[in-house]
Amino acid sequence: MRSSVWFLIGRNLSVIALKAELAQRLSHDPRAQSEMGQVQRLTRGLHHEIREVVNGYRSTDLATELQGARAILEAAGIACRIRRRRQRS
């Protein structure tokens, strides 16, 4: 079951990344090219993360989750700044 899920999702993510790359090459609008570049990066990143989850390699931590949330917000055009409090000694 795990390999079937990986195959299905992985294949579709690869197709999305390739179509985004094609759209980026065909577009003459710099903003559209930038957006398609982001789609490619997000898709490839998700592809890698899903592979790690399916294979049982991925462990999550707060910093990783915050970085993912920031990427999603920035992809939607929302500026995001994450501040860390210094721990007391």
Coordinates of all heavy atoms in Angstrom, one line a residue:
M1 N 0.8 -1.2 0.0 CA 0.0 0.0 0.0 C 0.9 1.3 0.0 O 0.6 2.2 -0.7 CB -0.9 0.0 1.2 CG -1.5 1.3 1.6 SD -3.2 1.4 0.9 CE -3.7 2.9 1.7
R2 N 1.9 1.3 0.9 CA 2.8 2.4 1.0 C 3.4 2.8 -0.4 O 3.5 3.9 -0.8 CB 3.8 2.2 2.1 CG 4.6 3.4 2.4 CD 5.4 3.2 3.6 NE 6.2 1.9 3.6 CZ 7.1 1.6 4.5 NH1 7.4 2.4 5.4 NH2 7.7 0.4 4.4
S3 N 3.9 1.7 -1.0 CA 4.6 2.0 -2.3 C 3.6 2.5 -3.4 O 4.0 3.3 -4.3 CB 5.4 0.8 -2.8 OG 4.5 -0.3 -3.0
S4 N 2.4 2.0 -3.3 CA 1.4 2.4 -4.3 C 1.0 3.9 -4.1 O 0.9 4.6 -5.1 CB 0.1 1.6 -4.1 OG 0.3 0.3 -4.4
V5 N 0.9 4.3 -2.8 CA 0.6 5.7 -2.5 C 1.8 6.6 -3.0 O 1.6 7.6 -3.6 CB 0.4 5.9 -1.0 CG1 0.3 7.4 -0.7 CG2 -0.9 5.2 -0.6
W6 N 3.0 6.1 -2.7 CA 4.2 6.9 -3.1 C 4.2 7.0 -4.6 O 4.5 8.1 -5.2 CB 5.5 6.2 -2.6 CG 6.7 6.7 -3.3 CD1 7.5 6.0 -4.1 CD2 7.2 8.0 -3.3 NE1 8.5 6.8 -4.6 CE2 8.3 8.0 -4.1 CE3 6.8 9.2 -2.7 CZ2 9.1 9.2 -4.4 CZ3 7.5 10.3 -3.0 CH2 8.7 10.3 -3.8
F7 N 4.0 5.9 -5.3 CA 4.0 5.9 -6.8 C 3.0 6.9 -7.4 O 3.3 7.8 -8.2 CB 3.8 4.5 -7.4 CG 3.7 4.5 -8.9 CD1 4.9 4.6 -9.6 CD2 2.5 4.4 -9.5 CE1 4.9 4.6 -11.0 CE2 2.5 4.4 -10.9 CZ 3.7 4.5 -11.6
L8 N 1.8 6.8 -6.9 CA 0.7 7.7 -7.4 C 1.0 9.2 -7.1 O 1.0 10.0 -8.0 CB -0.6 7.3 -6.7 CG -1.8 8.2 -7.1 CD1 -2.2 8.0 -8.5 CD2 -3.0 7.8 -6.2
I9 N 1.3 9.5 -5.9 CA 1.6 10.9 -5.5 C 2.9 11.4 -6.2 O 2.9 12.5 -6.8 CB 1.7 11.1 -4.0 CG1 0.3 10.8 -3.4 CG2 2.2 12.5 -3.7 CD1 0.3 10.8 -1.9
G10 N 3.9 10.6 -6.2 CA 5.2 11.0 -6.8 C 5.1 11.2 -8.2 O 5.6 12.2 -8.8
R11 N 4.4 10.4 -8.9 CA 4.2 10.6 -10.4 C 3.5 11.8 -10.7 O 3.9 12.6 -11.5 CB 3.4 9.4 -11.0 CG 3.3 9.5 -12.5 CD 2.3 8.5 -13.0 NE 1.0 8.7 -12.3 CZ -0.1 8.0 -12.4 NH1 0.0 6.9 -13.1 NH2 -1.2 8.3 -11.8
N12 N 2.4 12.1 -10.0 CA 1.6 13.3 -10.2 C 2.4 14.6 -9.9 O 2.3 15.6 -10.6 CB 0.3 13.3 -9.5 CG -0.7 12.3 -10.1 OD1 -0.6 12.0 -11.3 ND2 -1.5 11.7 -9.3
L13 N 3.2 14.6 -8.8 CA 4.0 15.7 -8.5 C 5.0 16.0 -9.5 O 5.3 17.1 -9.8 CB 4.6 15.5 -7.1 CG 3.7 15.7 -5.9 CD1 4.4 15.3 -4.6 CD2 3.1 17.1 -5.8
S14 N 5.6 14.9 -10.1 CA 6.6 15.1 -11.1 C 5.9 15.7 -12.4 O 6.5 16.6 -13.0 CB 7.2 13.7 -11.5 OG 7.9 13.2 -10.4
V15 N 4.7 15.3 -12.7 CA 4.0 15.9 -13.9 C 3.7 17.4 -13.6 O 3.9 18.2 -14.5 CB 2.7 15.1 -14.2 CG1 1.8 15.8 -15.2 CG2 3.0 13.7 -14.6
I16 N 3.3 17.7 -12.4 CA 3.0 19.1 -12.1 C 4.3 19.9 -12.2 O 4.3 21.0 -12.8 CB 2.4 19.2 -10.6 CG1 1.0 18.6 -10.6 CG2 2.4 20.7 -10.2 CD1 0.5 18.4 -9.2
A17 N 5.4 19.4 -11.7 CA 6.7 20.2 -11.8 C 7.1 20.4 -13.3 O 7.5 21.5 -13.7 CB 7.8 19.5 -11.0
L18 N 6.9 19.4 -14.1 CA 7.3 19.5 -15.5 C 6.3 20.5 -16.2 O 6.8 21.3 -17.1 CB 7.2 18.1 -16.2 CG 8.3 17.2 -15.8 CD1 8.0 15.8 -16.4 CD2 9.6 17.7 -16.3
K19 N 5.1 20.4 -15.9 CA 4.1 21.4 -16.6 C 4.4 22.8 -16.1 O 4.3 23.7 -16.9 CB 2.7 21.0 -16.3 CG 2.3 19.7 -17.0 CD 0.8 19.6 -17.0 CE 0.4 18.5 -18.0 NZ 0.3 18.8 -19.4
A20 N 4.8 23.0 -14.9 CA 5.2 24.3 -14.4 C 6.4 24.8 -15.1 O 6.5 26.0 -15.5 CB 5.4 24.3 -12.9
E21 N 7.4 23.9 -15.3 CA 8.6 24.3 -16.0 C 8.3 24.7 -17.5 O 8.8 25.7 -18.0 CB 9.6 23.2 -16.0 CG 10.9 23.5 -16.7 CD 11.9 22.4 -16.6 OE1 11.7 21.4 -15.8 OE2 12.9 22.5 -17.3
L22 N 7.4 24.0 -18.1 CA 7.0 24.3 -19.5 C 6.3 25.6 -19.5 O 6.6 26.5 -20.4 CB 6.1 23.2 -20.0 CG 5.5 23.4 -21.4 CD1 6.6 23.6 -22.5 CD2 4.6 22.3 -21.8
A23 N 5.4 25.9 -18.6 CA 4.6 27.1 -18.6 C 5.6 28.3 -18.3 O 5.5 29.4 -18.9 CB 3.6 27.1 -17.5
Q24 N 6.6 28.1 -17.5 CA 7.6 29.1 -17.2 C 8.4 29.4 -18.5 O 8.6 30.6 -18.8 CB 8.5 28.6 -16.2 CG 9.6 29.7 -15.7 CD 10.5 29.1 -14.6 OE1 10.8 27.9 -14.6 NE2 10.9 30.0 -13.8
R25 N 8.7 28.4 -19.3 CA 9.5 28.6 -20.5 C 8.7 29.3 -21.6 O 9.2 30.1 -22.4 CB 10.0 27.3 -21.0 CG 11.2 26.8 -20.2 CD 11.7 25.5 -20.8 NE 12.7 24.9 -19.9 CZ 13.5 23.9 -20.2 NH1 13.3 23.3 -21.4 NH2 14.4 23.5 -19.4
L26 N 7.4 29.0 -21.6 CA 6.5 29.5 -22.7 C 6.0 31.0 -22.4 O 5.6 31.7 -23.3 CB 5.3 28.6 -22.9 CG 5.5 27.3 -23.4 CD1 4.3 26.4 -23.5 CD2 6.1 27.4 -24.8
S27 N 6.1 31.3 -21.1 CA 5.6 32.7 -20.7 C 6.7 33.7 -21.0 O 7.8 33.5 -20.8 CB 5.3 32.7 -19.2 OG 4.9 34.0 -18.8
H28 N 6.2 34.9 -21.4 CA 7.0 36.1 -21.6 C 6.9 37.1 -20.5 O 7.5 38.1 -20.5 CB 6.8 36.7 -22.9 CG 7.1 35.8 -24.1 ND1 8.3 35.3 -24.4 CD2 6.2 35.1 -24.9 CE1 8.3 34.5 -25.4 NE2 7.0 34.3 -25.8
D29 N 6.0 36.8 -19.5 CA 5.7 37.6 -18.4 C 6.6 37.3 -17.2 O 6.5 36.2 -16.7 CB 4.2 37.5 -18.0 CG 3.8 38.4 -16.8 OD1 4.7 39.1 -16.3 OD2 2.6 38.3 -16.5
P30 N 7.5 38.2 -16.8 CA 8.4 37.9 -15.7 C 7.7 37.4 -14.4 O 8.2 36.5 -13.7 CB 9.2 39.2 -15.5 CG 9.0 39.9 -16.7 CD 7.7 39.5 -17.3
R31 N 6.5 38.0 -14.1 CA 5.8 37.6 -12.9 C 5.3 36.2 -13.0 O 5.4 35.4 -12.1 CB 4.7 38.5 -12.6 CG 3.9 38.0 -11.4 CD 3.2 39.0 -10.7 NE 2.5 38.3 -9.6 CZ 2.0 38.9 -8.6 NH1 2.1 40.1 -8.4 NH2 1.4 38.2 -7.7
A32 N 4.8 35.8 -14.2 CA 4.3 34.4 -14.4 C 5.5 33.5 -14.3 O 5.3 32.4 -13.8 CB 3.6 34.3 -15.8
Q33 N 6.6 33.8 -14.9 CA 7.8 33.0 -14.8 C 8.2 32.8 -13.3 O 8.5 31.6 -12.9 CB 8.9 33.6 -15.6 CG 8.7 33.6 -17.1 CD 9.8 34.3 -17.8 OE1 10.6 35.0 -17.3 NE2 9.9 34.0 -19.1
S34 N 8.2 33.8 -12.5 CA 8.5 33.7 -11.1 C 7.5 32.8 -10.4 O 7.9 32.0 -9.6 CB 8.5 35.1 -10.5 OG 8.7 35.0 -9.1
E35 N 6.3 33.0 -10.7 CA 5.2 32.1 -10.0 C 5.4 30.7 -10.4 O 5.3 29.8 -9.5 CB 3.8 32.6 -10.4 CG 3.5 34.0 -9.8 CD 3.4 34.0 -8.3 OE1 3.0 33.0 -7.7 OE2 3.7 35.1 -7.8
M36 N 5.7 30.4 -11.6 CA 5.9 29.0 -12.1 C 7.1 28.4 -11.5 O 7.2 27.2 -11.1 CB 5.9 28.9 -13.6 CG 4.6 29.1 -14.3 SD 3.4 27.7 -13.8 CE 2.4 28.6 -12.7
G37 N 8.1 29.3 -11.3 CA 9.4 28.8 -10.6 C 9.0 28.4 -9.2 O 9.6 27.4 -8.7
Q38 N 8.2 29.2 -8.5 CA 7.8 28.8 -7.1 C 7.0 27.5 -7.1 O 7.2 26.7 -6.2 CB 7.0 29.9 -6.5 CG 7.8 31.1 -6.2 CD 6.9 32.2 -5.5 OE1 5.9 32.0 -5.0 NE2 7.4 33.5 -5.6
V39 N 6.1 27.3 -8.1 CA 5.4 26.1 -8.2 C 6.3 24.9 -8.3 O 6.2 23.9 -7.6 CB 4.4 26.1 -9.4 CG1 3.8 24.7 -9.6 CG2 3.3 27.1 -9.1
Q40 N 7.3 25.0 -9.2 CA 8.3 24.0 -9.3 C 9.0 23.7 -8.0 O 9.2 22.5 -7.6 CB 9.4 24.4 -10.4 CG 8.9 24.4 -11.8 CD 9.9 24.9 -12.7 OE1 11.1 24.5 -12.6 NE2 9.6 25.9 -13.5
R41 N 9.5 24.7 -7.3 CA 10.2 24.5 -6.1 C 9.3 23.8 -5.0 O 9.8 22.9 -4.3 CB 10.8 25.8 -5.6 CG 12.0 26.2 -6.4 CD 12.7 27.4 -5.8 NE 11.9 28.6 -5.8 CZ 11.7 29.4 -6.8 NH1 12.3 29.1 -8.0 NH2 10.9 30.5 -6.8
L42 N 8.1 24.3 -4.9 CA 7.2 23.7 -3.9 C 6.9 22.3 -4.2 O 6.8 21.4 -3.3 CB 5.9 24.6 -3.8 CG 6.0 25.9 -3.2 CD1 4.8 26.7 -3.4 CD2 6.3 25.8 -1.7
T43 N 6.6 22.0 -5.5 CA 6.3 20.6 -5.9 C 7.5 19.7 -5.7 O 7.3 18.6 -5.1 CB 5.9 20.6 -7.4 OG1 4.8 21.5 -7.6 CG2 5.5 19.2 -7.8
R44 N 8.7 20.1 -6.0 CA 9.8 19.2 -5.8 C 10.1 19.1 -4.3 O 10.5 18.0 -3.9 CB 11.0 19.8 -6.5 CG 10.9 19.6 -8.0 CD 12.1 20.0 -8.8 NE 11.9 19.7 -10.2 CZ 12.0 20.6 -11.2 NH1 12.2 21.9 -10.9 NH2 11.7 20.3 -12.4
G45 N 9.9 20.1 -3.5 CA 10.1 20.0 -2.1 C 9.1 19.0 -1.5 O 9.4 18.2 -0.6
L46 N 7.8 19.1 -1.9 CA 6.8 18.2 -1.4 C 7.1 16.8 -1.8 O 6.9 15.9 -1.0 CB 5.4 18.7 -1.9 CG 4.2 17.8 -1.5 CD1 4.1 17.8 0.0 CD2 3.0 18.4 -2.1
H47 N 7.5 16.6 -3.0 CA 7.9 15.3 -3.5 C 8.9 14.7 -2.6 O 8.8 13.5 -2.2 CB 8.4 15.4 -5.0 CG 8.6 14.2 -5.7 ND1 9.8 13.5 -5.8 CD2 7.7 13.4 -6.4 CE1 9.7 12.5 -6.5 NE2 8.4 12.4 -6.9
H48 N 10.0 15.4 -2.3 CA 11.0 15.0 -1.4 C 10.5 14.6 0.0 O 10.8 13.6 0.6 CB 12.1 16.0 -1.3 CG 13.2 15.6 -0.4 ND1 14.2 14.7 -0.7 CD2 13.6 16.1 0.9 CE1 15.0 14.6 0.3 NE2 14.7 15.4 1.3
E49 N 9.6 15.5 0.6 CA 9.1 15.3 1.9 C 8.2 14.1 2.0 O 8.3 13.3 2.9 CB 8.3 16.6 2.3 CG 9.2 17.7 2.7 CD 8.3 18.9 3.1 OE1 7.2 18.8 3.6 OE2 8.8 20.1 2.9
I50 N 7.4 13.9 1.0 CA 6.5 12.7 0.9 C 7.3 11.4 0.9 O 7.0 10.5 1.5 CB 5.5 12.8 -0.2 CG1 4.5 13.9 0.1 CG2 4.8 11.5 -0.4 CD1 3.5 14.2 -1.1
R51 N 8.4 11.5 0.1 CA 9.3 10.3 0.0 C 9.8 10.0 1.4 O 9.9 8.8 1.8 CB 10.4 10.5 -1.0 CG 11.3 9.3 -1.1 CD 12.5 9.5 -2.0 NE 12.2 10.3 -3.2 CZ 13.0 11.3 -3.6 NH1 14.1 11.6 -3.1 NH2 12.6 12.0 -4.7
E52 N 10.3 11.0 2.1 CA 10.8 10.8 3.4 C 9.7 10.2 4.4 O 10.0 9.3 5.2 CB 11.4 12.1 4.0 CG 12.7 12.5 3.3 CD 13.2 13.8 3.9 OE1 12.4 14.6 4.5 OE2 14.4 14.0 3.7
V53 N 8.5 10.7 4.3 CA 7.4 10.3 5.2 C 7.1 8.8 4.9 O 7.0 8.0 5.8 CB 6.2 11.1 5.1 CG1 5.0 10.5 5.7 CG2 6.4 12.5 5.6
V54 N 7.0 8.5 3.6 CA 6.6 7.1 3.2 C 7.7 6.2 3.6 O 7.4 5.0 4.1 CB 6.4 7.1 1.7 CG1 6.3 5.6 1.2 CG2 5.1 7.8 1.3
N55 N 8.9 6.6 3.5 CA 10.0 5.7 3.9 C 10.3 5.7 5.4 O 11.2 5.0 5.8 CB 11.3 6.0 3.1 CG 11.2 5.7 1.6 OD1 10.5 4.7 1.3 ND2 11.8 6.5 0.8
G56 N 9.6 6.5 6.1 CA 9.8 6.6 7.6 C 11.0 7.3 8.0 O 11.5 7.2 9.2
Y57 N 11.6 8.2 7.2 CA 12.8 8.9 7.5 C 12.6 10.2 8.1 O 13.5 10.8 8.7 CB 13.7 9.1 6.3 CG 14.2 7.8 5.6 CD1 14.2 7.7 4.2 CD2 14.6 6.8 6.4 CE1 14.6 6.6 3.6 CE2 15.1 5.6 5.7 CZ 15.0 5.5 4.4 OH 15.5 4.4 3.7
R58 N 11.4 10.8 8.0 CA 11.2 12.2 8.3 C 10.7 12.3 9.8 O 9.8 11.6 10.2 CB 10.2 12.8 7.4 CG 10.0 14.3 7.7 CD 9.1 14.9 6.7 NE 9.0 16.3 7.0 CZ 7.9 17.0 7.1 NH1 6.8 16.4 7.0 NH2 7.9 18.3 7.3
S59 N 11.4 13.1 10.5 CA 10.9 13.5 11.8 C 10.7 15.0 11.8 O 11.4 15.7 11.1 CB 11.9 13.1 12.9 OG 13.1 13.8 12.7
T60 N 9.6 15.5 12.4 CA 9.3 16.9 12.4 C 9.8 17.6 13.6 O 9.9 17.0 14.7 CB 7.8 17.1 12.2 OG1 7.1 16.5 13.3 CG2 7.4 16.5 10.9
D61 N 10.1 18.9 13.5 CA 10.4 19.7 14.6 C 9.8 21.1 14.3 O 9.3 21.3 13.2 CB 11.9 19.8 14.9 CG 12.7 20.4 13.8 OD1 12.1 20.9 12.8 OD2 13.9 20.4 13.9
L62 N 9.7 21.9 15.3 CA 9.0 23.2 15.2 C 9.7 24.1 14.1 O 9.0 24.7 13.3 CB 9.0 23.9 16.5 CG 8.4 25.3 16.5 CD1 6.9 25.2 16.1 CD2 8.5 25.9 17.9
A63 N 11.0 24.1 14.1 CA 11.7 24.9 13.1 C 11.3 24.5 11.6 O 11.1 25.3 10.8 CB 13.2 24.9 13.3
T64 N 11.3 23.2 11.4 CA 10.9 22.7 10.1 C 9.5 23.1 9.7 O 9.2 23.5 8.6 CB 11.1 21.2 10.0 OG1 12.5 20.9 10.4 CG2 10.8 20.6 8.6
E65 N 8.6 22.9 10.6 CA 7.2 23.2 10.4 C 7.0 24.7 10.1 O 6.2 25.1 9.3 CB 6.3 22.7 11.5 CG 6.3 21.2 11.7 CD 5.8 20.5 10.4 OE1 4.8 21.0 9.8 OE2 6.4 19.5 10.0
L66 N 7.7 25.5 10.9 CA 7.6 27.0 10.7 C 8.2 27.4 9.3 O 7.6 28.2 8.6 CB 8.3 27.7 11.8 CG 7.6 27.7 13.2 CD1 8.5 28.3 14.2 CD2 6.3 28.4 13.1
Q67 N 9.2 26.7 8.9 CA 9.8 27.0 7.6 C 8.8 26.6 6.5 O 8.7 27.4 5.5 CB 11.1 26.2 7.5 CG 11.9 26.6 6.2 CD 13.2 25.8 6.2 OE1 13.3 24.7 6.7 NE2 14.2 26.4 5.6
G68 N 8.1 25.5 6.7 CA 7.1 25.1 5.7 C 6.0 26.1 5.6 O 5.5 26.4 4.6
A69 N 5.5 26.5 6.8 CA 4.4 27.5 6.9 C 4.8 28.8 6.2 O 4.0 29.4 5.4 CB 4.0 27.7 8.3
R70 N 6.0 29.2 6.4 CA 6.5 30.5 5.8 C 6.5 30.3 4.2 O 6.1 31.2 3.5 CB 7.9 30.8 6.2 CG 8.4 32.1 5.5 CD 9.9 32.3 5.7 NE 10.2 32.6 7.1 CZ 11.4 32.7 7.5 NH1 12.4 32.5 6.7 NH2 11.7 32.9 8.8
A71 N 7.0 29.2 3.7 CA 7.0 29.0 2.3 C 5.6 29.0 1.7 O 5.4 29.6 0.6 CB 7.7 27.6 2.0
I72 N 4.7 28.4 2.4 CA 3.3 28.4 1.9 C 2.7 29.9 1.9 O 2.1 30.3 0.9 CB 2.4 27.5 2.8 CG1 2.8 26.1 2.5 CG2 0.9 27.7 2.4 CD1 2.2 25.1 3.5
L73 N 2.9 30.6 2.9 CA 2.5 32.0 3.0 C 3.1 32.8 1.9 O 2.4 33.6 1.2 CB 2.7 32.6 4.4 CG 1.8 32.0 5.5 CD1 2.3 32.4 6.9 CD2 0.4 32.3 5.3
E74 N 4.4 32.7 1.8 CA 5.1 33.5 0.8 C 4.7 33.2 -0.6 O 4.6 34.0 -1.5 CB 6.6 33.4 1.0 CG 7.1 34.1 2.2 CD 8.6 34.0 2.5 OE1 9.3 33.2 1.8 OE2 9.1 34.7 3.4
A75 N 4.4 31.9 -0.9 CA 3.9 31.5 -2.2 C 2.6 32.1 -2.5 O 2.2 32.4 -3.7 CB 3.8 30.0 -2.3
A76 N 1.8 32.4 -1.5 CA 0.5 33.0 -1.6 C 0.6 34.6 -1.6 O -0.4 35.3 -1.7 CB -0.4 32.6 -0.5
G77 N 1.9 35.1 -1.6 CA 2.1 36.5 -1.6 C 1.9 37.2 -0.3 O 1.7 38.4 -0.2
I78 N 2.0 36.4 0.8 CA 1.9 37.0 2.1 C 3.2 37.0 2.8 O 3.9 36.0 2.9 CB 0.9 36.1 3.0 CG1 -0.5 36.1 2.3 CG2 0.8 36.6 4.4 CD1 -1.4 35.0 2.9
A79 N 3.7 38.2 3.2 CA 5.0 38.3 3.9 C 4.9 37.7 5.2 O 3.9 37.8 5.9 CB 5.3 39.8 4.0
C80 N 5.9 37.0 5.6 CA 5.9 36.4 6.9 C 7.3 36.5 7.6 O 8.3 36.3 6.9 CB 5.6 34.9 6.7 SG 5.7 33.9 8.2
R81 N 7.3 36.9 8.8 CA 8.5 37.0 9.6 C 8.4 36.2 10.9 O 7.4 36.3 11.6 CB 8.9 38.4 9.9 CG 10.2 38.6 10.6 CD 10.5 40.0 10.8 NE 9.7 40.5 11.9 CZ 9.7 41.7 12.4 NH1 10.5 42.6 11.8 NH2 8.9 42.1 13.3
I82 N 9.3 35.3 11.1 CA 9.3 34.5 12.3 C 10.4 34.9 13.3 O 11.5 35.0 12.9 CB 9.4 33.0 12.0 CG1 8.3 32.6 11.1 CG2 9.5 32.1 13.2 CD1 8.4 31.2 10.5
R83 N 10.0 35.3 14.5 CA 11.0 35.7 15.5 C 11.1 34.7 16.5 O 10.1 34.1 17.0 CB 10.6 37.0 16.1 CG 10.6 38.2 15.1 CD 10.3 39.5 15.8 NE 8.9 39.4 16.1 CZ 8.3 40.4 16.9 NH1 8.9 41.4 17.3 NH2 7.0 40.3 17.1
R84 N 12.3 34.4 16.9 CA 12.5 33.4 18.0 C 13.0 34.2 19.3 O 13.8 35.1 19.2 CB 13.7 32.5 17.6 CG 13.3 31.6 16.4 CD 14.4 30.7 16.0 NE 15.0 30.0 17.1 CZ 16.0 29.2 16.9 NH1 16.6 29.0 15.8 NH2 16.5 28.5 18.0
R85 N 12.4 33.8 20.3 CA 12.8 34.4 21.6 C 14.0 33.7 22.1 O 14.2 32.5 22.0 CB 11.7 34.2 22.7 CG 10.5 35.0 22.4 CD 9.5 34.8 23.5 NE 8.3 35.6 23.3 CZ 7.2 35.5 24.0 NH1 7.2 34.6 25.0 NH2 6.1 36.2 23.7
R86 N 14.9 34.5 22.7 CA 16.1 33.9 23.2 C 15.8 33.2 24.5 O 15.0 33.7 25.4 CB 17.1 35.0 23.5 CG 17.7 35.6 22.2 CD 18.7 36.5 22.5 NE 19.2 37.1 21.2 CZ 20.2 37.9 21.1 NH1 20.9 38.2 22.2 NH2 20.5 38.4 19.9
Q87 N 16.3 32.1 24.7 CA 16.1 31.3 25.9 C 17.0 31.9 27.1 O 18.1 32.3 26.8 CB 16.4 29.8 25.8 CG 15.5 29.2 24.8 CD 15.8 27.7 24.7 OE1 16.8 27.2 25.2 NE2 15.0 27.0 23.9
R88 N 16.4 31.9 28.2 CA 17.1 32.4 29.4 C 18.2 31.4 29.8 O 17.9 30.2 29.8 CB 16.2 32.7 30.5 CG 15.3 33.9 30.2 CD 14.4 34.1 31.4 NE 13.4 35.2 31.0 CZ 12.4 35.5 31.7 NH1 12.1 34.8 32.8 NH2 11.6 36.4 31.4
S89 N 19.3 31.9 30.2 CA 20.4 31.0 30.6 C 20.2 30.6 32.1 O 19.7 31.2 32.9 CB 21.7 31.6 30.5 OG 21.9 32.0 29.1

